[in-house]
Amino acid sequence: LEVVDDMDLETFYYDFFMTGRPFVWKNAASPQELDMYAKERWMQTESLHPQKVVWECGTQGEPVFTHQKLCGNFTMEQMEQRATCPHDGWSVIRSGYIPDYHETYPLFGGDPYHDESVYGKNLKKLFGSRLEASEPNHYIFWTGDQSGINWHWHNGGFNACFVGQKQWRLAPPLYKGFSALQPKEAESQIPEEYRLHCTQTPGDMIYLPDYW
């Protein structure tokens, strides 16, 4: 993937949005913002406490599309320690939709698009006032090592990494689809010359165009 240190509206529109090219935006969030997602801080919360709150989990991140059998309930700490699903031995993963950022993200009054937010300012460079007017959704995924999201596609969007690392395997819209296979198994079905590889680290934001 192409890697950039900054992005402006004209470059984004003509070089990436119109051409359907993904890219990685380095340091798109500040260290202060990354700290909001640290385990030590979430230990101070009620709704997201890593040791107390249990979550219904599966072995892939999109069970609604694959109709997978869910594994059971796990805490974040159990997932961090690579909890596995009893019926297949695969690592579990949880996707969560967080509508209220006041506890999850108390910085700037729970507003990720605040004028002082590096993450928010970067997105506003590209979308301006339309960003908040569109009421974008935020999905947070948490899991342990060697888990993964099944092969899938969706409309264009940005994916930010706040904690840990994430290995990406991408293919162009020619290979779009949904699969119940584990990620490594699905990857082997795509010719090597069509696959893009990327390791996402904290602060990195990846743009995925439509159908990728």
Side-chain angles (χ1 to χ4, degrees):
L1 273 68
E2 186 162 347
V3 178
V4 302
D5 293 315
D6 200 1
M7 182 61 62
D8 60 77
L9 176 58
E10 184 174 352
T11 303
F12 171 66
Y13 185 77
Y14 289 107
D15 292 356
F16 296 98
F17 179 78
M18 291 298 291
T19 59
R21 293 168 56 205
F23 67 87
V24 180
W25 190 340
K26 301 292 290 184
N27 301 312
S30 69
Q32 189 179 17
E33 291 169 290
L34 298 182
D35 284 345
M36 291 296 99
Y37 296 86
K39 180 179 179 181
E40 291 75 15
R41 206 203 65 76
W42 280 23
M43 292 282 278
Q44 303 169 24
T45 69
E46 293 293 330
S47 62
L48 293 165
H49 196 288
Q51 297 175 335
K52 298 178 181 179
V53 182
V54 295
W55 306 89
E56 193 172 48
C57 299
T59 56
Q60 299 178 22
E62 304 287 350
V64 67
F65 298 122
T66 60
H67 306 291
Q68 68 175 240
K69 181 180 178 181
L70 296 176
C71 299
N73 298 322
F74 301 86
T75 66
M76 287 186 195
E77 190 164 271
Q78 287 174 318
M79 284 182 266
E80 182 184 27
Q81 296 167 355
R82 202 186 168 194
T84 57
C85 194
H87 63 261
D88 57 25
W90 291 343
S91 297
V92 300
I93 184 171
R94 163 74 187 190
S95 61
Y97 172 55
I98 310 297
D100 184 358
Y101 264 60
H102 286 87
E103 183 179 29
T104 311
Y105 185 88
L107 190 66
F108 309 127
D111 179 10
Y113 304 127
H114 192 276
D115 289 340
E116 295 181 27
S117 163
V118 174
Y119 170 73
K121 283 191 289 189
N122 282 331
L123 289 176
K124 284 180 179 179
K125 287 181 187 179
L126 310 184
F127 301 104
S129 60
R130 292 173 296 174
L131 182 65
E132 293 177 318
S134 64
E135 299 183 354
N137 291 330
H138 294 84
Y139 289 87
I140 298 179
F141 288 79
W142 51 85
T143 182
D145 290 342
Q146 299 185 32
S147 61
I149 299 177
N150 54 290
W151 192 258
H152 69 285
W153 65 271
H154 43 66
N155 293 332
F158 285 89
N159 292 265
C161 178
F162 290 92
V163 177
Q165 294 185 347
K166 182 176 180 178
Q167 298 285 339
W168 286 83
R169 300 293 185 267
L170 303 173
L174 175 65
Y175 291 97
K176 72 181 179 71
F178 293 99
S179 172
L181 294 174
Q182 279 292 90
K184 288 183 178 180
E185 295 178 64
E187 179 188 11
S188 66
Q189 307 301 310
I190 307 298
E192 176 65 30
E193 61 267 26
Y194 289 105
R195 284 185 250 151
L196 298 178
H197 297 229
C198 173
T199 300
Q200 187 181 22
T201 58
D204 293 351
M205 187 159 60
I206 294 181
Y207 168 66
L208 297 179
D210 288 342
Y211 311 123
W212 280 74

